[in-house]
Amino acid sequence: MSKHHLAGFIAAFSLLGLGVTQAAANPENAEAAYKGQASAVDPASAQVVHSPGAPDLTSAEFEVAKEIYFQRCAGCHGVLRKGATGKPLTPDITKERGQAYLEALITYGSPAGMPNWGTSNALTKDQITLMAKYIQHTPPTPPEWGMAEMKNSWKVLVKPQDRPKKQMNDLNLPNLFSVTLRDDGKIALIDGDSKKIVKTIETGYAVHISRMSASGRYLLVIGRDARIDMIDLWSKEPAKVAEIKVGIEARSVETSKFKGYEDKYAIAGSYWPPQFTIMDGETLEPKQIVSTRGMTVDKQEYHPEPRVAAIIASHEHPEFIVNVKETGKIMLVNYKDIDNLTITSINAAPFLHDGGWDSSHRYFMTAANNSNKVAVVDSRERKLSALVEVGKIPHPGRGANFVHPKYGPVWATSHLGDESISLIGTDPKNHPQYAWKHVDTLKGQGGGSLFIKTHPKSRHLYLDTTFHPDAKVSQSAAVFDIGNLDAGYQVLPIAEWAGLKEGAKRVVQPEYNEAGDEVWFSVWSGQEEESAIVVVDDKTLKLKTVIKDKRLITPTGKFNVHNTQYDVY
């Protein structure tokens, strides 16, 4: 394909961009889940449907394509393909686009955040042809997952009364990192001081996040297959003490942090079924399941798949703040009386995704990605403070808080869909003229950014461009001097520093150590290829060390215990 035609395809792809893909495991095949080979939804669980006007597929082809879709695409486009971070892929759209267009779309990706599945060799040419045919058919519907299924999956491996009363190991827990080994179905616990792997622990497939309990004792990780593993960091050797599956596909887990309720409850949000579950904070016993199906905030239309995205624990009330993606509603779930939940629903904007606190830990800043907005929720007054227009498809992770030389305290997000970094003022007391306004825009390397990060003790602002289609961009990171933002960014050649041979070598998620003087980046290649973690000296912006280990398979997210426990970002 000529450069001229490729440019034309890329321009067209923004109309039907595919977002960051997710994967999940067949709950009945744990071994396959650990190997990263199973589907989010059991392919045998959904009826095969051949839609009029769609290309012919045999039943066997349909089953293979269904598995690939749930592994690679459902996280952004939805199980029912109605879209969110990625555009809708329903047959009325895909059949009109046509086979050739869809194949090119899947092959080359787009600057708006769709991975280049073909040119990165993640999918073969035959698989791409198959997937282009499959998404022209009616989406199959997976089964529900209720209390009976949850309790059947629930295991208490070590009872609370049998656990230690104090830390029984010599680990420097505040500087411990929980690292997702995405396609290996594990996490690695890495000592931030020695840079050595303490232990790898089997988990659900493709862990999405790690979260710390309020006490800093329990590490909770949730896989895209909706399996939660609770790890006791006080044990002589950190070990799992409980596990549960809260659905078929999921992304979020959190624990109660309001004074007097520390470690009392845990909550998890599911992508399928669309619901959240409140559990006992020490055993993960499921207590309450709440469906999120309902009406959208904009068109007041019923949506059958409003997935639960980010969840954050309020410090102002005994509440969890729950993002419901497709409906655009933010739910304040009061757990003071677990048998009689009180839920306050705040109308924000559709496609709520991730976000975090402002520096005061009072205001929840959360991206409504395909609405190109950031919603600001006052957790003390329990109301929406603002909806702020930002760039295209904001994807902040938790975002980044710092003091701007002109605007005072600000919160920043980067974007999947463009090169901009949006800064929002967050100080209504001392800088009211800038509060909850888009005060400035920085220019980064390009679209495809997943995470932006800084630290109260750092003068730098880092962001990745993990899903940019240009390998030179996706294999590096940009860093700004907070005191001189007008100078633009410096490029750090993270993948080059890693010294790896083959592989995509995508650079993802800057994460600080406890002291705030190191920044860790994952260099993410395929399951059969070498990956690494690169540690940068935050003062000098020079390479400090490279962590390599044969157990470090497809590392992605990294979560420092102290920073995660205390919401430092």
Side-chain angles (χ1 to χ4, degrees):
M1 179 178 288
S2 71
K3 291 183 179 179
H4 173 76
H5 287 123
L6 177 57
F9 271 124
I10 290 176
F13 292 164
S14 64
L15 300 174
L16 192 64
L18 200 75
V20 184
T21 60
Q22 317 293 354
N26 177 344
E28 296 183 359
N29 193 337
E31 181 178 355
Y34 299 147
K35 300 297 184 183
Q37 296 172 344
S39 161
V41 177
D42 179 358
S45 69
Q47 181 181 359
V48 174
V49 178
H50 295 282
S51 305
D56 287 340
L57 288 177
T58 66
S59 296
E61 288 173 331
F62 195 94
E63 293 301 315
V64 170
K66 184 163 56 177
E67 183 171 351
I68 293 173
Y69 180 82
F70 287 125
Q71 285 180 345
R72 302 285 191 177
C73 315
C76 278
H77 297 279
V79 170
L80 303 181
R81 304 213 301 263
K82 292 184 177 293
T85 306
K87 298 289 186 180
L89 294 177
T90 48
D92 59 317
I93 297 172
T94 54
K95 285 190 288 187
E96 182 179 345
R97 294 290 189 262
Q99 183 72 18
Y101 177 95
L102 296 172
E103 287 190 28
L105 171 67
I106 298 168
T107 299
Y108 295 103
S110 82
M114 174 177 171
N116 50 328
W117 296 112
T119 55
S120 68
N121 297 317
L123 294 177
T124 67
K125 189 176 184 302
D126 287 344
Q127 287 175 321
I128 290 168
T129 297
L130 177 63
M131 294 310 297
K133 292 179 179 180
Y134 171 77
I135 59 176
Q136 297 176 66
H137 287 263
T138 301
T141 302
E144 300 294 321
W145 191 273
M147 184 63 78
E149 289 82 3
M150 287 189 199
K151 287 200 169 181
N152 190 49
S153 73
W154 172 51
K155 299 176 184 176
V156 178
L157 306 173
V158 182
K159 296 178 180 179
Q161 61 267 31
D162 296 331
R163 299 172 194 169
K165 306 301 181 185
K166 62 180 181 178
Q167 184 179 340
M168 302 301 290
N169 55 61
D170 296 326
L171 294 172
N172 179 12
L173 293 183
N175 204 31
L176 189 70
F177 287 75
S178 174
V179 179
T180 297
L181 305 181
R182 188 189 185 279
D183 295 332
D184 202 32
K186 297 176 183 175
I187 62 162
L189 297 179
I190 300 182
D191 183 347
D193 299 332
S194 69
K195 312 298 190 291
K196 301 295 184 183
I197 293 179
V198 174
K199 187 178 184 181
T200 62
I201 298 176
E202 291 185 341
T203 61
Y205 176 68
V207 164
H208 189 63
I209 57 171
S210 298
R211 288 289 178 260
M212 291 303 306
S213 68
S215 66
R217 173 177 187 167
Y218 294 115
L219 173 68
L220 288 92
V221 298
I222 188 164
R224 286 170 171 82
D225 59 354
R227 172 175 153 184
I228 303 172
D229 291 282
M230 174 183 276
I231 298 161
D232 187 356
L233 298 181
W234 284 9
S235 300
K236 186 174 182 181
E237 183 179 86
K240 288 192 295 184
V241 293
E243 67 179 62
I244 192 173
K245 266 181 64 68
V246 292
I248 294 172
E249 188 180 359
R251 295 295 184 276
S252 51
V253 67
E254 179 65 294
T255 65
S256 53
K257 292 184 176 179
F258 186 68
K259 187 175 181 180
Y261 291 87
E262 296 91 340
D263 295 13
K264 185 172 179 63
Y265 295 116
I267 184 173
S270 300
Y271 268 24
W272 190 271
Q275 61 193 31
F276 61 84
T277 304
I278 298 178
M279 299 156 283
D280 181 271
E282 287 192 313
T283 66
L284 300 183
E285 179 184 4
K287 297 291 188 180
Q288 292 284 353
I289 305 171
V290 178
S291 173
T292 54
R293 290 180 170 102
M295 312 305 285
T296 61
V297 299
D298 51 354
K299 298 179 181 180
Q300 295 287 297
E301 294 176 345
Y302 178 77
H303 199 292
E305 189 190 355
R307 299 172 290 174
V308 177
I311 301 176
I312 200 163
S314 174
H315 300 277
E316 301 285 347
H317 300 280
E319 290 179 338
F320 294 116
I321 304 176
V322 178
N323 274 353
V324 184
K325 186 185 288 279
E326 280 75 11
T327 59
K329 295 182 179 181
I330 300 171
M331 293 183 171
L332 309 183
V333 182
N334 191 294
Y335 50 75
K336 187 174 182 179
D337 183 353
I338 192 66
D339 294 319
N340 298 281
L341 292 176
T342 301
I343 299 176
T344 299
S345 183
I346 296 174
N347 288 349
F351 311 115
L352 293 164
H353 192 59
D354 54 357
W357 293 116
D358 79 307
S359 57
S360 73
H361 290 174
R362 172 176 172 175
Y363 296 94
F364 179 43
M365 316 286 294
T366 184
N369 50 34
N370 259 5
S371 295
N372 303 328
K373 292 180 173 65
V374 168
V376 182
V377 173
D378 183 343
S379 68
R380 181 178 300 168
E381 298 298 328
R382 305 170 76 247
K383 64 182 182 180
L384 186 72
S385 294
L387 274 176
V388 185
E389 293 278 351
V390 291
K392 186 176 181 181
I393 315 180
H395 197 287
R398 289 295 184 104
N401 290 296
F402 62 93
V403 178
H404 190 280
K406 177 179 178 180
Y407 303 113
V410 297
W411 179 90
T413 180
S414 55
H415 300 84
L416 271 169
D418 65 33
E419 63 189 7
S420 70
I421 298 106
S422 297
L423 308 185
I424 299 172
T426 61
D427 184 9
K429 183 178 180 180
N430 298 312
H431 298 81
Q433 69 273 36
Y434 303 128
W436 321 133
K437 295 179 181 178
H438 185 176
V439 295
D440 200 5
T441 300
L442 308 178
K443 180 181 178 181
Q445 290 198 89
S449 177
L450 293 181
F451 298 101
I452 187 167
K453 185 74 72 168
T454 189
H455 188 280
K457 297 179 181 177
S458 173
R459 70 174 192 271
H460 292 123
L461 176 70
Y462 298 84
L463 67 152
D464 60 28
T465 38
T466 311
F467 283 109
H468 196 282
D470 184 338
K472 187 175 181 180
V473 178
S474 68
Q475 293 177 6
S476 62
V479 56
F480 290 83
D481 182 340
I482 290 171
N484 188 19
L485 293 168
D486 291 339
Y489 59 84
Q490 178 178 338
V491 176
L492 302 183
I494 302 296
E496 180 183 323
W497 286 345
L500 304 176
K501 295 179 181 179
E502 302 298 325
K505 294 178 282 191
R506 297 185 186 276
V507 172
V508 63
Q509 202 218 25
E511 172 73 335
Y512 283 82
N513 63 344
E514 179 196 9
D517 58 11
E518 292 177 355
V519 184
W520 294 32
F521 291 88
S522 295
V523 184
W524 171 25
S525 287
Q527 192 170 2
E528 303 302 322
E529 298 161 331
E530 187 180 31
S531 293
I533 292 174
V534 170
V535 181
V536 176
D537 187 316
D538 181 60
K539 304 298 182 186
T540 65
L541 300 183
K542 302 296 184 183
L543 173 65
K544 188 166 186 178
T545 190
V546 178
I547 303 174
K548 291 183 178 178
D549 190 296
K550 64 182 181 180
R551 296 169 290 176
L552 204 60
I553 299 170
T554 60
T556 52
K558 302 161 299 302
F559 303 88
N560 171 267
V561 165
H562 175 270
N563 295 340
T564 305
Q565 179 184 357
Y566 293 105
D567 295 313
V568 178
Y569 36 81

